[in-house]
Amino acid sequence: MKKVIGIALLAGWGLCFAQKTANAQEFKEHVSKQFQVKPGSVVAVYNINGSIKVEGYSGDKVMIEIDETIKAKDEAELARGKKEFKLGFDQKADSVTAYTAEPYDTRPHQHWDGYWNDNNDHERRYYNVILEYTLKVPYNANLRISTVNGGTIEVKDVTGSLKVNNVNGAITIVNAKGTTDARTVNGNLTVNYLSVPPDASNYYTLNGKLEVTYPANFAANLQFKSMNGQFFTDFPDTEILPTQVVVTQNKKADGTRYKLDKNTQIKVGAGGKLFKFETLNGNIYIKKQS
């Protein structure tokens, strides 16, 4: 079967090719998109089912490849999925966003109740769409990416700020430089930096190992919280800081109330900005780059 791939510049729509498998309950499609962007633009991907891989390069375009698979219980539901499901791409002056547009909008702050329901009669859908994203972005792009089910997130050679969220999957970030907010549930979180992030960063995993590697000149205040885990570091110059006291804003008749912050804080080197690490079930490893 002849396959045709179309590439759209800027915010235009591209052509895509579709191939129907021998199984009538599955449909596959590949989509290619390309956007010219300014230095330091935000690149956002809001996925639900499937993995996201992002790699930085020296160009000035965002190149997006998506492998889409629709699976359904029967031919009727498959036809419905092919008709209803739509990807969305939005480009503004300083950002590019890829998301699911129909039958729900996966962008933050959009109404989606977590089910494949029809907005009018809440009729249940019996098809599922899996999207596997692969992106190449300029080195200095700022990322805002997330997925929920059945996928991992991998980021490599992106030096801008990173906001990365996953549920039911791991996050791996390699050769980062930017301020980071990374969170996952039921997966390991692994981050490696080429240089110390310029601002305070946060790392969280509910059930998994949290491992972050910083350059040898790393200096910061670290805050740790774990219900069932331990903290390990091979940085030699560390100091446990006193328990923090936080003043509550609401004054009572019997005086100002104080609240003790029970999170453990450690100073590395000369100290500095606050980096927060939290797990429920899993150890925390802060490593010095060799």
Side-chain angles (χ1 to χ4, degrees), residues 4-286:
V4 179
I5 301 177
I7 296 179
L9 295 176
L10 299 178
W13 281 94
L15 297 176
C16 57
F17 70 85
Q19 177 178 333
K20 189 174 182 180
T21 66
N23 184 350
Q25 298 176 12
E26 183 174 287
F27 176 84
K28 290 183 179 292
E29 185 174 44
H30 185 85
V31 178
S32 295
K33 299 288 292 183
Q34 183 170 298
F35 303 88
Q36 187 94 28
V37 293
K38 297 178 180 179
S41 291
V42 172
V43 178
V45 178
Y46 301 114
N47 196 15
I48 296 297
N49 297 309
S51 297
I52 303 173
K53 294 182 179 181
V54 185
E55 183 174 356
Y57 81 114
S58 60
D60 60 357
K61 296 180 177 63
V62 173
M63 293 177 282
I64 305 175
E65 303 290 333
I66 306 172
D67 289 313
E68 174 188 323
T69 303
I70 302 177
K71 295 184 178 182
K73 71 170 189 174
D74 54 36
E75 289 192 40
E77 282 296 306
L78 184 66
R80 182 183 185 186
K82 290 164 62 177
K83 179 180 179 181
E84 291 182 340
F85 185 82
K86 291 182 177 61
L87 289 166
F89 299 93
D90 182 25
Q91 183 173 32
K92 293 182 171 59
D94 58 354
S95 67
V96 171
T97 304
Y99 61 100
T100 296
E102 297 290 346
Y104 49 75
D105 192 324
T106 58
R107 289 173 295 180
H109 311 302
Q110 303 296 318
H111 175 71
W112 179 57
D113 57 12
Y115 296 94
W116 297 72
N117 291 333
D118 193 77
N119 289 334
N120 296 321
D121 56 15
H122 293 279
E123 180 182 356
R124 192 65 180 264
R125 289 172 168 83
Y126 293 96
Y127 66 84
N128 190 33
V129 182
I130 301 169
L131 302 175
E132 301 289 341
Y133 280 87
T134 301
L135 290 84
K136 293 193 73 172
V137 304
Y139 286 129
N140 60 4
N142 298 296
L143 297 186
R144 305 291 182 266
I145 57 177
S146 64
T147 192
V148 178
N149 291 314
T152 60
I153 294 180
E154 300 177 26
V155 177
K156 183 180 180 181
D157 298 332
V158 179
T159 61
S161 65
L162 307 175
K163 187 170 184 180
V164 185
N165 292 278
N166 197 359
V167 179
N168 299 318
I171 295 174
T172 302
I173 300 172
V174 179
N175 296 337
K177 292 184 178 181
T179 302
T180 304
D181 186 347
R183 301 173 60 87
T184 187
V185 176
N186 300 324
N188 293 332
L189 172 56
T190 306
V191 188
N192 173 272
Y193 289 96
L194 291 177
S195 62
V196 178
D199 210 344
S201 296
N202 301 293
Y203 314 86
Y204 173 89
T205 178
L206 184 66
N207 295 306
K209 179 177 70 173
L210 200 167
E211 182 177 312
V212 185
T213 301
Y214 296 102
N217 65 339
F218 180 58
N221 288 359
L222 313 183
Q223 179 176 291
F224 303 96
K225 183 178 181 181
S226 181
M227 183 73 70
N228 300 299
Q230 300 182 60
F231 160 67
F232 302 88
T233 184
D234 58 359
F235 277 94
D237 187 10
T238 60
E239 176 187 349
I240 298 178
L241 298 176
T243 302
Q244 299 294 305
V245 179
V246 179
V247 181
T248 57
Q249 298 300 314
N250 296 326
K251 293 187 176 181
K252 305 296 181 181
D254 56 350
T256 302
R257 294 186 180 180
Y258 294 83
K259 180 181 179 181
L260 290 178
D261 186 344
K262 297 181 180 179
N263 296 329
T264 301
Q265 287 201 22
I266 292 176
K267 183 173 72 172
V268 175
K273 293 182 172 60
L274 183 63
F275 288 68
K276 296 182 180 180
F277 307 83
E278 183 176 351
T279 70
L280 179 65
N281 299 303
N283 292 331
I284 300 171
Y285 299 86
I286 308 302

